[in-house]
Amino acid sequence: RMPVSVPAAGRRQRASAAFSLSFLSLVFSITAFSSSYWCEGMRKVAKPFCTGQSKGDHCIRFNSPDANNSNAVQYIWETGDDKFIDRKFHAGIWYSCEEIIDEEGEKCRSFISLTPAADRGVLWLSIVAELLYIILLLTGAILMSVEMCYYSTVIDGLKINAFSAVVTVLAGLLGMVAHMMYTTVFQMTVNLGPEDWRPHTWDYGWSYCLAWASFACCMAAAVTTINKYTKTILEFKHKRKTLERSLKIKCKFPD
């Protein structure tokens, strides 16, 4: 029969796995929260009039030297999508940026100011939930690290383990709600936002994927922590039964 003390190495491995997943989730969530690539896409912008050294690919050519007379501009050769140019944009929780035509750099605006007034409350709830999600993830990671380095009684380790499991599960639920609320707000902003911002085509970016990867790592850390707690309890019960059995045998057959 294998010794009862062998599973201690397995408990330490599970604790290390839970801490690694929790720390990875924390890094992913902070990176996603601070970035502006939750959604990316294209905006169709009307071409400006060509002036000075402007190139014809990104502007509408004049057919008359009279630049101040708008009636002199003829659109005979500019039909369909030739009147428009695609401009890349990306948006996050805090701000939305789009490229500047014929220049380097981007022009950024606050995403909160672009959101319809009726949905700003939901966006602020999403921001608060994201902040609480990061705080709880940090708390869970600290508790897991304390448990790994805590060399007192196993009972104290179990208490810390149970508390870190509860904190991590609560963090995962908050993260899921925050991501879903932002998704709803962004879709409403696409439909009801300012005319000079609405995208022609868009899709979710790498920050959005990173946010959900953080949620997945958080829930995996919670499951690993709960699994460790449950297995430790079962090991204690097994030890107790083994001890009781050995005491009964000693009472029946004393030396």
Side-chain angles (χ1 to χ4, degrees):
R1 182 180 296 179
M2 293 181 64
V4 181
S5 59
V6 170
R11 287 199 301 269
R12 183 165 291 277
Q13 289 178 355
R14 289 192 291 271
S16 300
F19 174 75
S20 300
L21 287 168
S22 181
F23 182 76
L24 196 64
S25 176
L26 179 63
V27 172
F28 284 173
S29 62
I30 293 175
T31 304
F33 185 68
S34 59
S35 68
S36 62
Y37 286 86
W38 285 61
C39 300
E40 300 178 74
M42 293 283 188
R43 286 189 58 237
K44 278 194 175 297
V45 181
K47 289 182 180 179
F49 297 150
C50 292
T51 56
Q53 301 297 325
S54 299
K55 296 182 180 179
D57 293 340
H58 295 141
C59 60
I60 298 175
R61 299 181 185 87
F62 285 100
N63 290 330
S64 169
D66 188 4
N68 296 322
N69 186 3
S70 59
N71 295 326
V73 181
Q74 298 180 11
Y75 295 99
I76 297 174
W77 306 108
E78 299 287 343
T79 58
D81 288 342
D82 290 337
K83 293 180 182 179
F84 299 93
I85 188 170
D86 291 330
R87 179 181 291 179
K88 294 181 181 179
F89 88 99
H90 55 89
I93 293 178
W94 297 107
Y95 50 89
S96 173
C97 299
E98 61 185 36
E99 65 178 350
I100 302 175
I101 303 300
D102 289 337
E103 293 182 20
E104 294 184 358
E106 295 178 327
K107 180 180 69 175
C108 296
R109 290 182 284 180
S110 171
F111 183 74
I112 299 172
S113 64
L114 299 172
T115 307
D119 297 313
R120 285 178 188 170
V122 181
L123 180 59
W124 279 112
L125 283 176
S126 173
I127 292 173
V128 171
E130 286 283 354
L131 287 172
L132 289 175
Y133 172 57
I134 292 173
I135 292 172
L136 288 175
L137 279 177
L138 179 60
T139 305
I142 291 173
L143 288 172
M144 291 176 190
S145 64
V146 169
E147 182 194 356
M148 289 173 59
C149 304
Y150 198 67
Y151 295 104
S152 184
T153 62
V154 182
I155 299 299
D156 291 337
L158 272 176
K159 291 178 181 178
I160 297 174
N161 184 243
F163 191 57
S164 62
V166 171
V167 168
T168 309
V169 170
L170 184 59
L173 293 176
L174 273 173
M176 179 183 65
V177 171
H179 302 345
M180 293 177 66
M181 283 194 296
Y182 176 79
T183 303
T184 303
V185 169
F186 185 83
Q187 291 175 351
M188 293 299 294
T189 307
V190 168
N191 295 327
L192 303 174
E195 289 286 347
D196 63 341
W197 178 85
R198 294 183 195 177
H200 182 68
T201 58
W202 64 276
D203 201 354
Y204 296 110
W206 61 267
S207 295
Y208 187 81
C209 298
L210 202 63
W212 283 108
S214 170
F215 166 75
C217 290
C218 175
M219 297 311 295
V223 170
T224 305
T225 307
I226 294 171
N227 178 264
K228 176 180 177 294
Y229 178 83
T230 305
K231 286 190 174 183
T232 305
I233 293 294
L234 292 176
E235 287 169 11
F236 267 111
K237 288 183 178 180
H238 178 71
K239 286 181 182 180
R240 183 178 178 181
K241 288 181 180 179
T242 305
L243 182 61
E244 289 177 351
R245 195 175 299 137
S246 64
L247 288 175
K248 285 181 182 179
I249 293 174
K250 284 183 178 181
C251 290
K252 287 182 180 180
F253 303 100
D255 294 338

